[in-house]
Structures are given as C-alpha cells and as structure tokens.
Amino acid sequence: MNAPAPASPADTLRSALAGLLDGLPPRQAAQAVERLIATYRGATPTAAPILRDRADVAAYAAYRMPATFEAVRSALAAFADAVPGWTPGDHLDIGGGTGAAAWAVSATWDGKRPVTVLDWAEPALALGRELAAAHPALADTRWQRSRIGTALTLEPADLVTVSYVLNELTDGDRAALVDAAAGAAQAVVIVEPGTPDGYARVLEARDRLVRAGFRIAAPCPHSAACPIVPGTDWCHFSARVSRSSLHRQVKGGSLAYEDEKFSYVAATRLPVHPAPARVVRKPQIRKGQVLLDLCETDPALRRTTVTKRHGDLYRAARDTDWGDAWPPPSADDEEY
C-alpha cells in the first residue's frame, strides 16, 4: 500500500495556524485584528514594533499570514518562471515576522535550505519559530531580532525577500533596506499591498534595484521605465486566499475565499527570461472573444483581443488569469 503524499506547505501552514487562537476569546481576537489593521494602514511609520505580544501576533498571524503567503508565493512563481532551473541555496527574509515568506519559498522550490528571518518584534519571531516546527524544511530556520533601518547589515544570500515591510519604514530606512538587499543578494523579491501607495513603494524599490545592476524578472517583461503614467493607474495583481472563521468574523460575509491585492517586483543579477508580456488586469471574457490588457517588452501598455478564429490561442486566453505571462509557452509562435 502506497504511503500518503506529504502535506503541501500551504496545507501544513493552514493546519498550524488553525490552533493559534485556542483559548483566545473570538471577540478579543477580532478586536486585536481590527486594531492592527488600522495601524498597518496608517500613513506614519511606527517607532516601535506593531506586534507587541503573543495575543497580537497570534490574532494577526491567523488573519494575515495566509494572504501574505499566497501573495508572496504568486510573486515567487512568476520569478521562478523567469529563471528556470535556478534554486536558491539560501534565503534571507527581512522583516519576515512570523515567516510567511519562508513558507512561500518552501512552496516554490523543493528541498531544504538555510533560512534566516529578521524582524524587530520578538513575539512575532517566537511564534514564527513555533509554527515552523510543523514543517521539516523550516525546522532549522534562524529567527533573529534585528532593527530594520539604516544601520542594517546583511550577510550574502542567494534570495532576499521583503514582504509588507516598506510601509512601516521612513523614506531613508526604505532606501537603506533596498540598497542593503541589493548588496547582499543574487535575487530580491519585494511585495507590498496592491494599493497606489504600495505600488509607488515597489516602483521606487524597482528603480533602485535597476540602478544597482539588477535585471527585472517579474512582473515586468523589461527593465526599462514603467509605462504607467504616474497618477493614472497602478500595477497590482490578485491572489485567491481561503478565508478562516476569523476572516469571516472580522470582515463579515459568507464567501469561503477572498482576493488579496498586491504589488511586487522580482529582480536578479542572474540571466533572466522574462515573460513576453504580462496580463495586468483581469481578462474580460465576452462572447467569442477575450480582451487582455498587457504590459509588453517595448515597454508599452496595450489591449489585445483574442477571438475564436485564433483557435488554441483563444482557448488559452479563456484560461489565462490576471498576472499570467502572455502568450503561454505553448502558443508563443501563434499569431494574434
């Protein structure tokens, strides 16, 4: 009889998070999440860790960790497609809190690798260590308390991730963090909320990485200036997240899922094969045609219409999602 397949990192994380709120009254958990969300959405960087104690960390991890995991995993998947055959030998997660990005890296590339998570909130690191014990690939992760700012010094690492951190920093600290990551890493992946402000922070980081000699692997199909006219739009994507009972309690509604909007940049010093184009809006499916909004290599933004007469390409367009590369590899030689 065949042994059951091991649980995926996503399933293992979901199970580990399920027990976090045992003993914490639901109303208290919901109030902690609402307060923390308001703090995270504030425009003023904080001078102290936002997550203060285990109750804060447990409530926020149960609520936010699945969304952070899915957003980072989506960004990493696009990066992996652009650097086929490469696997990070080690991973440094800056401002990683309870370790969602470490789980996402493990879900993207098989195998075990040295992982270090830096954060200035000791309760977050402690809970991250507790959760990681459930996943063999993360059992030996180093959880290190560190102030994220201008004094940050980093050891060399193949991959550096920075997810949902830049909003907490001053302009000077943001610049110092991106420069430190560029100086330490072969590849840097930065994820921020999919808001105009989040996109602006990602764009600023993207520009710094390009000036440091990095090539853009994703989402952009080029390393030139972003073709979006400032103030007219912003580049962001969406990841589907299963909703827990805590999600439903805080946000209301009965859907079993929600969509996490995020902006990101993945850059590297390695040779890259970026997508020929990237779908930058939800495809519009109409009778006999699919409308795709694309960021192209030129660089330029363009809407293209794929119709039934395109055959296999039309069927591929109907299955294409927001954030996907276009055309799919199997259709690269077809005309549209």
Side-chain angles (χ1 to χ4, degrees), residues 108-202:
T108 305
W109 291 282
D110 291 335
K112 192 173 183 178
R113 61 190 53 83
V115 180
T116 300
V117 178
L118 303 181
D119 200 274
W120 63 342
E122 182 58 40
L125 294 170
L127 187 62
R129 185 183 300 111
E130 180 182 324
L131 292 170
H135 186 28
L138 298 178
D140 296 329
T141 297
R142 291 175 56 213
W143 302 86
Q144 183 176 326
R145 190 163 190 261
S146 178
R147 175 72 168 85
I148 311 300
T150 54
L152 181 68
T153 58
L154 304 176
E155 297 294 326
D158 281 355
L159 173 65
V160 168
T161 55
V162 186
S163 52
Y164 296 88
V165 173
L166 299 183
N167 183 49
E168 300 178 38
L169 305 177
T170 64
D171 290 348
D173 283 351
R174 280 201 298 270
L177 170 54
V178 175
D179 290 346
Q186 280 193 306
V188 177
V189 176
I190 296 174
V191 180
E192 282 286 296
T195 62
D197 286 345
Y199 161 70
R201 291 188 293 270
V202 167

Side-chain angles (χ1 to χ4, degrees), residues 170-323:
T170 64
D171 290 348
D173 283 351
R174 280 201 298 270
L177 170 54
V178 175
D179 290 346
Q186 280 193 306
V188 177
V189 176
I190 296 174
V191 180
E192 282 286 296
T195 62
D197 286 345
Y199 161 70
R201 291 188 293 270
V202 167
L203 191 60
E204 177 187 0
R206 179 189 187 276
D207 291 344
R208 297 191 77 88
L209 291 170
V210 170
R211 289 198 297 270
F214 278 67
R215 305 174 185 91
I216 302 303
C220 322
H222 56 81
S223 296
C226 177
I228 296 175
V229 177
T232 65
D233 204 350
W234 70 99
C235 184
H236 65 293
F237 303 93
S238 181
R240 181 61 51 91
V241 184
S242 297
R243 299 178 79 190
S244 67
S245 59
L246 181 58
H247 279 82
R248 290 191 288 271
Q249 183 178 354
V250 172
K251 286 196 169 181
S254 58
L255 287 177
Y257 64 87
E258 66 178 8
D259 292 321
E260 171 73 4
K261 305 298 194 303
F262 65 98
S263 295
Y264 77 97
V265 63
T268 182
R269 297 187 185 279
L270 301 162
V272 295
H273 304 279
R278 181 79 59 188
V279 179
V280 293
R281 286 291 177 269
K282 186 176 181 179
Q284 298 181 39
I285 300 177
R286 299 178 179 174
K287 186 176 181 179
Q289 61 182 15
V290 181
L291 278 59
L292 299 176
D293 291 304
L294 303 174
C295 180
E296 299 185 315
T297 307
D298 296 341
L301 298 173
R302 180 171 71 93
R303 172 170 286 185
T304 189
T305 301
V306 186
T307 66
K308 279 187 174 180
R309 69 178 178 83
H310 293 108
D312 289 345
L313 197 64
Y314 170 70
R315 287 184 284 275
R318 288 183 61 88
D319 292 334
T320 293
D321 203 358
W322 182 9

